[in-house]
Amino acid sequence: MNTFRYLALAGLLFFSPLVFSSDFVFFGSLSDGGETFVETDDEQDLRAGGLLQFSAGLENKLSSDLLIQAMFGLKFDGITASDGEASFIRYPIDVSLIKRTEQFELGMGFTYHTDPQLNIDINGLPNLRVNFDNALGMTLGMGLRSNKLGAGLRLTFIDYEVDNWTVDGNSLGLYLSLNL
């Protein structure tokens, strides 16, 4: 695991002055979007904005209806076909400012994706592994709240780059969150 990720997580857990008054937050999303890396004959595709994200982190109240949320997670997509497989994996660090009422939330923030990696393994050909540069993007979200549960839509605006190749990773996702 990348040293940067360990330091970021340690900073979230130990160096936040409000860590003891924080809520833990668990987040999951199902997203689609971005450029297509690979398509199969049976219409599966691997896209730069997909597919699943699982994150955990901390949330601190700044006022009665304004909070800051910091999370670390895993975002991945993969496909399998009769002649090979492909995957795209990255590790997002998200920091968001959220306006929340009892029934509604609206947020915006930044996402930093570390170690984005595209892997394509096709039978009979050399394996392709592309390590993209770490990428900074922006998120917008809106959803409904019920006590400690949240559900809504999240837009992510991000590009992945390596050498002279830029890939659009923008996505729209459905999310669920749980605060403890």
Side-chain angles (χ1 to χ4, degrees):
M1 215 175 185
N2 185 314
T3 303
F4 179 79
R5 284 184 273 165
Y6 282 124
L7 292 174
L9 187 58
L12 286 174
L13 295 176
F14 300 110
F15 298 115
S16 170
L18 302 173
V19 72
F20 295 107
S21 64
S22 299
D23 282 344
F24 286 99
V25 61
F26 297 96
F27 175 91
S29 72
L30 178 65
S31 303
D32 193 27
E35 289 184 42
T36 301
F37 288 123
V38 177
E39 277 185 288
T40 64
D41 291 337
D42 61 351
E43 299 184 18
Q44 293 184 66
D45 62 356
L46 176 67
R47 298 179 67 176
L51 176 68
L52 295 174
Q53 179 174 340
F54 299 103
S55 297
L58 299 174
E59 189 172 272
N60 285 305
K61 281 193 172 195
L62 301 176
S63 68
S64 63
D65 62 351
L66 191 63
L67 53 98
I68 189 164
Q69 184 181 79
M71 298 185 298
F72 173 75
L74 168 69
K75 188 169 184 175
F76 61 94
D77 192 0
I79 60 172
T80 302
S82 61
D83 61 347
E85 59 188 28
S87 64
F88 186 52
I89 300 171
R90 55 268 191 221
Y91 302 92
I93 299 168
D94 298 326
V95 178
S96 301
L97 191 62
I98 300 170
K99 172 97 169 158
R100 182 178 291 157
T101 65
E102 287 183 30
Q103 297 177 345
F104 186 74
E105 63 187 5
L106 181 64
M108 66 178 293
F110 294 98
T111 186
Y112 186 70
H113 292 193
T114 63
D115 299 331
Q117 187 176 79
L118 172 65
N119 297 296
I120 301 174
D121 300 326
I122 299 174
N123 298 340
L125 296 174
N127 294 344
L128 174 66
R129 180 157 290 125
V130 179
N131 294 310
F132 288 90
D133 299 332
N134 295 340
L136 180 64
M138 188 175 127
T139 61
L140 297 173
M142 60 184 254
L144 300 174
R145 291 294 294 185
S146 175
N147 198 6
K148 301 241 180 224
L149 292 174
L153 295 173
R154 177 177 163 160
L155 287 166
T156 300
F157 303 96
I158 195 163
D159 288 333
Y160 301 103
E161 296 180 7
V162 63
D163 298 326
N164 291 325
W165 184 29
T166 300
V167 176
D168 171 5
N170 297 346
S171 65
L172 173 63
L174 296 171
Y175 74 83
L176 292 173
S177 65
L178 171 66
N179 291 65
L180 300 177

